[in-house]
Amino acid sequence: MLHAIPSAADKRKALRAGLDSGRLLKLPGAFNPLSAKLIERHGFHGVYISGAVISADLGLPDIGLTTLTEVAGRAQQIARVTALPSLVDADTGFGEPMNAARTVQVLEDAGVAGLHLEDQVNPKRCGHLDGKDVVELDVAVRRIKAAVAARRDPDFVIAARTDAKSVLGLDEAIRRAKAFADAGADLIFPEALTDAAEFEAFRAAVEVPILANMTEFGKSRLLDARTLESAGVNVVIYPVTLLRLAMHAADTGLREITEQGTQEGLLDRMQHRRDLYDLLDYQRYNAFDDQVFNFRV
Ligand SMILES: C[C@](O)(C(=O)O)[C@H](CC(=O)O)C(=O)O
Ligand SMILES: [Mg+2]
């Protein structure tokens, strides 16, 4: 319901408490506000807002074409319809340290609970593709320090992502993670690790919580929640999973309509009108106007 959503400050506190809980927080990527509501219905701990998904949604590759304004706008639309805390992908902070500082404040205003900033060069690339590069460690540390200093709500979570593993190797990635934690990062996101042993190496090296990116068709083995938990991982994201599933279903549906001339055979694979209305809390809008919801099955 419109007014039943907790404030951004409360959602940030919830994310902080989750990070302190020692339990694995599972954050699927929402591809729109509606899918964030579905994630909440399924009892997840939070919503991830993926740069790859925002880019793809705009029909663009994930190569740093989206602007802070576009990301903040979409993040706000998603964050405001769910009671769950949202973690948003802020790429490189859209520039250098000063831009990273502004990014933090704009995304705080968008109502998300936290963001991650990565140490790639501008323009960035998907972390699971070859050909990416990272900035010098001192530049990356300045990004994180600027972000931390710019934050106005102390509960806003600043995660530092390092893409160094596939570019410079595991040792350098761990060195960077430690430097980011020293610079004030609340959460470390080691990108494109291959297996559980690599997560364990990060766990042993840094004191702060760590995040695992279980994106499909990339460089990381898809580790299950139990394995991640026993490797000491605190947060897992499934960034593009729902978009991939939805697009596959849409593709199948379009083919069926083309071939059969009707969608009749697809009805049992669709979200029913009843379930959509339920997810939207349609009936509760009758509190404003009792003629709003008159749907009967
Ligand atoms: C996590 C990520 O940054 C994202 O934008 O969702 C992507 C995911 C992907 O492209 O599969 C990344 O890992 O770079
Ligand atoms: Mg991304």
Side-chain angles (χ1 to χ4, degrees):
M1 192 52 185
L2 283 174
H3 47 270
I5 305 283
S7 69
D10 286 345
K11 290 190 241 180
R12 289 172 193 150
K13 284 190 173 40
L15 180 57
R16 287 272 170 186
L19 290 176
D20 290 343
S21 71
R23 290 169 51 218
L24 178 69
L25 307 181
K26 302 186 191 104
L27 277 60
F31 58 85
N32 61 12
L34 181 63
S35 62
K37 292 175 86 66
L38 196 60
I39 292 167
E40 181 181 331
R41 278 286 166 100
H42 280 266
F44 284 91
H45 307 97
V47 168
Y48 180 67
I49 302 173
S50 150
V53 168
I54 293 176
S55 306
D57 194 50
L58 293 169
L60 297 170
D62 184 18
I63 52 174
L65 292 169
T66 51
T67 66
L68 171 58
T69 309
E70 286 170 329
V71 171
R74 194 60 165 161
Q76 183 178 41
Q77 288 177 337
I78 293 172
R80 69 184 298 280
V81 299
T82 172
L84 297 178
S86 307
L87 178 71
V88 62
D89 179 355
D91 289 345
T92 60
F94 304 97
E96 289 315 317
M98 206 189 309
N99 304 80
R102 180 163 182 267
T103 294
V104 167
Q105 297 191 349
V106 170
L107 290 173
E108 275 184 330
D109 292 345
V112 297
L115 57 72
H116 64 77
L117 290 168
E118 69 205 29
D119 59 357
Q120 283 199 47
V121 298
N122 286 306
K124 57 84 37 69
R125 298 195 179 295
C126 164
H128 289 257
L129 295 185
D130 296 325
K132 64 177 182 178
D133 203 0
V134 291
V135 294
E136 294 296 325
L137 178 55
D138 65 317
V139 177
V141 165
R142 280 199 290 121
R143 270 184 203 162
I144 300 301
K145 283 191 172 156
V148 170
R151 159 172 75 190
R152 293 155 300 175
D153 179 347
D155 287 325
F156 188 80
V157 170
I158 293 177
R161 159 170 154 177
T162 178
D163 281 73
K165 156 75 206 319
S166 14
V167 185
L168 302 168
L170 188 65
D171 290 347
E172 175 60 13
I174 289 177
R175 188 171 80 97
R176 286 178 174 233
K178 284 179 171 168
F180 298 155
D182 290 345
D186 304 298
L187 175 66
I188 298 296
F189 173 173
E191 174 65 315
L193 300 191
T194 42
D195 56 24
E198 292 188 343
F199 283 105
E200 281 161 15
F202 272 87
R203 175 69 295 152
V206 297
E207 303 276 313
V208 297
I210 59 175
L211 177 149
N213 175 11
M214 289 294 107
T215 194
E216 303 84 5
F217 317 117
K219 294 192 185 298
S220 303
R221 188 172 303 162
L222 296 181
L223 305 168
D224 65 26
R226 197 177 306 162
T227 307
L228 291 169
E229 204 151 28
S230 57
V233 171
N234 304 79
V235 181
V236 55
I237 57 169
Y238 307 95
V240 196
T241 309
L242 297 191
L243 179 74
R244 295 192 216 284
L245 288 166
M247 287 303 287
H248 183 75
D251 196 37
T252 309
L254 292 170
R255 196 170 316 122
E256 170 101 357
I257 295 170
T258 306
E259 286 167 6
Q260 306 301 328
T262 171
Q263 76 277 46
E264 189 80 48
L266 293 171
L267 294 181
D268 61 356
R269 278 187 276 160
M270 286 188 187
Q271 181 183 46
H272 196 283
R273 179 186 289 270
R274 177 189 54 231
D275 297 328
L276 174 62
Y277 284 8
D278 182 50
L279 188 58
L280 291 169
D281 255 341
Y282 227 103
Q283 191 156 18
R284 294 183 64 187
Y285 286 79
N286 277 11
F288 295 102
D289 176 350
D290 62 13
Q291 295 305 307
V292 167
F293 187 80
N294 57 10
F295 174 70
R296 303 272 172 271
V297 191

